[in-house]
Amino acid sequence: MRKTSLFGGAAVAAVAIALAGATSADIGDDEELIVNGEIEMIIETAAPEHLQDRLSTIYSGWVFRSDETQAMQADDFDNPGMIFVDQGLEAFETVMGTEGQSCASCHENAESLSEVRSTYPKWDEERGLVQTVEMQIIECQTERMGAEPYGYDSQDMRNMTALISSVGRGIPVNVAIDGPAQETWEQGREIYYTRFGQLELSCANCHEDNYGNLIRADHLSQGQINGFPTYRLRNAGLVSIHNRFRGCIRDTRGETFSVGSPEFVALELYVASRGNGLTVEGPSVRN
Amino acid sequence: MTRHLMLAAGFALAATTLHADVILPDDVVTNEYGDIAQSLTGVPGDAAAGRDVMVNRGLGNCIACHQVTALEDEQFHGEVGPSLDGVGARWDEAALRGIVANAKMAFPDSIMPSFYRVSGFTRPGNAFTGRAAEGPLEPLLTAQQVEDVVAYLMTLTE
């Protein structure tokens, strides 16, 4: 039998169950997110200038989730994503590769990387391209440590990006979109507004034109990525930015791009820039 | 025995007729507003079957985006598209058939997928696998399913 579900029947059904009995949250609920009673998150702010002809206000995906899901992110003991941060920290301090080095050999401690998540993807002068955090980690492993690089979307990689994001929590996203990064940014914007697949859906159709609306039982967010990697309850694990992009294009009945592809790097830069001004939240908790 | 034979013959005849009269997606004729005057199958739509297509997540899943008061027994109506209450009074059959088949003819910027179209897509996939489509695409709904949905929509007069 042909499967013609609009948005992946099983996934939608799972959300329906998760939502049953949950209180829904929405824009204008006047909520605040302060993690561990000390990290104040900006979950709503004026849209960055490049976006103001489209949106006036940008919202963290946290705003759209149920009270129960929101609460899990407010305390690290309740946030299931923090287990992976611990695993990332262990790897950070472990020697890997032929050069006898760990991440800590150069970077001392994870906190010294607190400005990374908010400024990536970022133009890399030496390589002449825009790099994501994952690409930077792979570069360190192959060019400095003599180590076998992590797979782009492997558990080890997600642990490490979760660690790097966690030490940057509360810092406003501020990726550069001008200068040498501009061409990549424009490519990402082009992809954002392209209607992919047999369902002909662009990112904007759902996340710009319909955020806040229900699509069957799912509450559409603005598709911000300041909370990545995110702990998704339906996956019971950390989900990377590119994995999420791939899932969205798959749900258009489209042929996706690959994790780590130039197209997704460009899209990541563009989507990150739509969140300039929101705070780094990863690992966030989402449904 | 005779009865079975007659039934079988009847089905065979129906199938042949059906096949002969189905208008393929690329052959659909519309007017300038996107209306499709001619039935896609020549077989009258079945409103009860259309109701199932409307609510079934594996078929039309129309209520993923549209609210329909007559379907309020079904859970989770979306808010992305307009309510379909009264569409049977607001539109005639040809207009409804055109919108279900390819809403972008009438509303160029609509988010609504085209349920009876097989060409003109960017990176079409092989269903929901994320891989490239292999061979010609199937429309999201069959010609008869479109007719059934139109028949159901025509009952929504209030």
Side-chain angles (χ1 to χ4, degrees), chain B residues 105-128:
Chain B
M105 288 291 287
F107 307 103
D109 297 326
S110 175
I111 184 175
M112 183 169 161
S114 302
F115 286 88
Y116 199 66
R117 223 183 86 212
V118 291
S119 56
F121 303 111
T122 303
R123 295 177 73 89
N126 181 3
F128 288 106

Side-chain angles (χ1 to χ4, degrees), chain B residues 59-124:
Chain B
L59 293 173
N61 201 14
C62 307
I63 63 170
C65 291
H66 297 283
Q67 180 270 337
V68 186
T69 302
L71 298 174
E72 61 190 2
D73 289 350
E74 307 288 337
Q75 276 194 301
F76 303 117
H77 296 218
E79 304 168 326
V80 168
S83 167
L84 299 181
D85 290 356
V87 286
R90 287 200 296 283
W91 307 91
D92 62 22
E93 188 184 293
L96 288 173
R97 185 181 289 114
I99 294 170
V100 173
N102 183 8
K104 294 175 197 81
M105 288 291 287
F107 307 103
D109 297 326
S110 175
I111 184 175
M112 183 169 161
S114 302
F115 286 88
Y116 199 66
R117 223 183 86 212
V118 291
S119 56
F121 303 111
T122 303
R123 295 177 73 89

